[in-house]
Amino acid sequence: MPVEHDTDPKLAAYAHPERLVTTGWLADRLGSPGLVVVESSEDVLLYDTGHIEGAVKIDWHTELNDPVTRDYVDGEGFAALMRAKGIARDDTVVIYGDKNNWWAAYALWVFSLFGHEDVRLLDGGRAKWEAEGRAWTTDPAQPKDVDYPVVERRDEDIRAFMDDVKGHLGKPMVDVRSPEEYTGARTHMPAYPEEGALRGGHIPGAQSVPWARAVADDGGFKAREELEAIYQQEKGLSPDDDVIAYCRIGERSSHSWFVLTHLLGFPKVRNYDGSWTEWGNAVRVPIVKGDEPGSV
Amino acid sequence: MTGSLPGGFDAVVEEFQALEERERLELLLDFANGLPELPEHLRQHPELLEPVPECQSPVFVHVDVDGSGAEAAVHVHLSAPKEAPTTRGFAGILAEGMRGLDAAGVLAVPDDVPGRLGLDRAVSPLRLRGMSGMLHRIQRQVREKAGV
């Protein structure tokens, strides 16, 4: 049974307000039947220093990825993970994390690949919960004993592969990395570690919209009109566009995917999780250096 | 591998290797909690601290060197926020491993120390690169300040 939606007025302005909850809403509902809270933080030790009461941890690095192939777990793997975390197919899952919910959004996107119906983000994530002085616990979570069906992953709607991107050149694309990564200006200096891609720059035609521009001062998402001002007025994207977002490994772009899909209501947005670590190392694919999106 | 690394690193590596993967993360958390506070002179002058952007968290490093040359005593100071316990843990390992080393000892710490901890499966490669970033910056400061 899904838990009721958060009717907070800030959320109500978004295209899909049912995809977010506020800290106050969550605090009032901890322990509700049918609700599972998940922490997915970039720093894998953070959960152990203190987490929201009852929350289970999902480690984006070891639990969502296939250990051999560069890919996500398959249907069997996801079902096993859900059972281990006590998540049933019809549970309401609320995900939060550090770093303005980068990795929480990434986990939500992976849940979406498996069509888990009711998965939401905690607006503001760990930082807002902390800033409001809300409680943390180090008590281990007690996952429920549940079953979860094996559902095969459905990539095509929200995930782009390199070939898809090649076929998409000339159509709207958003590069959500830092401006230095976008222009290719970031180079290594002597005795400084090198970056993981052979070349710096961006995919031809991609516009630069660093992911963090969608984040408000309190760590939550900016209001809908502020987001529209960035993505629609400034960058000229339109809700009927077919958009691909990418970053370095696909985690920051999950955050932007969430913004475009659920907050602004663009129906066709894909996340290119191969991102710059694939594109910037691939043979014979075009790149552009500098501030301008450029073209092929 | 015993005796192959400078300073306290052998003991740290052995401690990690003796544990199961899950417990290694707990040990890393112990190192995070054990990272010493910055000394007074750096708390007063944060501008002396060098940032480590590879860590993707506000991490800073500063090295004090007494005298010059290979035998100059080195004092390594690292700071990392409580919100980044993994990075703090790596900083704690470096602080512990380098305690009491001279300039030659710090420069002899090999690049692959992060890899020897056996954390590569539990912690993302990016994080381990952050630790290498700290190590490289410490070593560069030692080279500059000790003139070796």
Side-chain angles (χ1 to χ4, degrees):
Chain A
M1 266 297 283
V3 181
E4 71 273 18
H5 296 142
D6 188 342
T7 53
D8 182 272
K10 173 193 169 188
L11 307 188
Y14 295 130
H16 299 290
E18 72 279 10
R19 292 296 176 180
L20 277 175
V21 302
T22 56
T23 47
W25 182 95
L26 182 61
D28 290 344
R29 283 165 186 78
L30 290 176
S32 298
L35 172 69
V36 181
V37 183
V38 170
E39 171 160 344
S40 193
S41 284
E42 190 250 356
D43 193 307
V44 295
L45 283 183
L46 210 40
Y47 174 88
D48 302 278
T49 68
H51 51 264
I52 294 177
E53 189 188 342
V56 294
K57 168 183 171 180
I58 289 187
D59 183 332
W60 63 279
H61 176 57
T62 57
E63 295 184 316
L64 297 178
N65 291 290
D66 183 280
V68 181
T69 311
R70 184 176 171 185
D71 201 353
Y72 300 101
V73 291
D74 61 10
E76 288 280 356
F78 188 74
L81 178 65
M82 293 300 100
R83 291 172 197 143
K85 304 297 176 185
I87 298 171
R89 184 72 174 165
D90 59 357
D91 276 345
T92 296
V93 176
V94 171
I95 312 181
Y96 72 95
D98 64 350
K99 304 276 174 65
N100 303 119
N101 279 338
W102 276 15
W103 273 264
Y106 188 53
L108 181 143
W109 178 74
V110 175
F111 271 70
S112 305
L113 290 173
F114 290 96
H116 190 97
E117 182 86 16
D118 188 2
V119 55
R120 315 179 190 176
L121 282 186
L122 173 65
D123 194 32
R126 270 195 82 101
K128 192 156 192 284
W129 190 269
E130 168 80 22
E132 292 169 351
R134 298 184 189 274
W136 301 111
T137 179
T138 52
D139 296 343
Q142 313 268 324
K144 284 179 300 177
D145 189 14
V146 295
D147 197 14
Y148 196 96
V150 174
V151 181
E152 282 318 315
R153 216 178 57 225
R154 195 180 145 81
D155 288 333
E156 57 268 32
D157 293 339
I158 59 171
R159 186 180 184 196
F161 294 95
M162 189 161 87
D163 282 343
D164 300 323
V165 178
K166 285 179 177 169
H168 191 84
L169 292 171
K171 293 191 207 152
M173 242 183 296
V174 179
D175 182 317
V176 315
R177 298 171 301 160
S178 64
E180 295 77 18
E181 290 169 280
Y182 178 83
T183 60
R186 205 167 151 193
T187 53
H188 64 278
M189 291 171 274
Y192 288 70
E194 294 184 35
E195 282 295 296
L198 288 176
R199 293 169 302 165
H202 57 266
I203 300 177
Q207 304 222 51
S208 171
V209 191
W211 69 278
R213 290 192 64 191
V215 178
D217 290 340
D218 68 354
F221 289 103
K222 283 182 179 160
R224 175 147 190 193
E225 56 188 31
E226 295 173 277
L227 296 173
E228 285 178 350
I230 297 169
Y231 294 91
Q232 289 166 244
Q233 278 100 56
E234 181 188 324
K235 297 296 171 184
L237 295 174
S238 153
D240 14 308
D241 282 339
D242 174 359
V243 184
I244 289 178
Y246 71 93
C247 60
R248 195 186 68 88
I249 55 171
E251 86 301 351
R252 285 174 286 181
S253 45
S254 303
H255 190 275
S256 301
W257 169 84
F258 183 88
V259 171
L260 290 167
T261 301
H262 293 314
L263 305 187
L264 294 177
F266 284 41
K268 190 162 172 50
V269 182
R270 286 174 290 169
N271 180 22
Y272 169 38
D273 58 279
S275 273
W276 197 254
T277 52
E278 180 176 50
W279 195 271
N281 285 315
V283 176
R284 283 192 166 171
V285 298
I287 71 161
V288 172
K289 287 181 174 291
D291 293 327
E292 294 301 317
S295 58
V296 183
Chain B
M1 299 252 280
T2 309
S4 59
L5 295 171
F9 284 108
D10 272 326
V12 174
V13 168
E14 269 173 41
E15 228 182 319
F16 273 97
Q17 292 293 347
L19 297 173
E20 296 292 318
E21 201 156 279
R22 170 65 230 168
E23 297 166 330
R24 287 178 194 170
L25 284 179
E26 288 168 21
L27 180 58
L28 188 59
L29 191 54
D30 290 343
F31 276 102
N33 293 329
L35 178 68
E37 291 285 321
L38 285 176
E40 189 58 26
H41 73 283
L42 291 175
R43 283 208 297 272
Q44 298 294 333
H45 294 282
E47 72 279 5
L48 293 174
L49 295 164
E50 177 179 351
V52 185
E54 294 83 23
C55 287
Q56 312 213 336
S57 301
V59 172
F60 297 92
V61 45
H62 180 80
V63 175
D64 287 321
V65 177
D66 300 337
S68 63
E71 290 172 14
V74 172
H75 310 279
V76 175
H77 308 294
L78 290 147
S79 87
K82 292 232 169 3
E83 297 73 41
T86 302
T87 306
R88 258 184 90 80
F90 287 138
I93 289 169
L94 289 173
E96 169 81 14
M98 291 182 178
R99 194 182 319 147
L101 283 181
D102 60 15
V106 170
L107 295 178
V109 177
D111 280 352
D112 66 346
V113 160
R116 295 198 201 191
L117 301 171
L119 284 166
D120 45 323
R121 267 163 39 87
V123 176
S124 83
L126 198 64
R127 280 257 157 266
L128 289 170
R129 211 154 70 222
M131 188 180 184
S132 300
M134 289 184 247
L135 175 60
H136 288 160
R137 281 158 202 279
I138 290 166
Q139 291 178 329
R140 188 173 39 72
Q141 286 195 24
V142 167
R143 268 194 295 276
E144 287 168 7
K145 291 173 182 172
V148 288

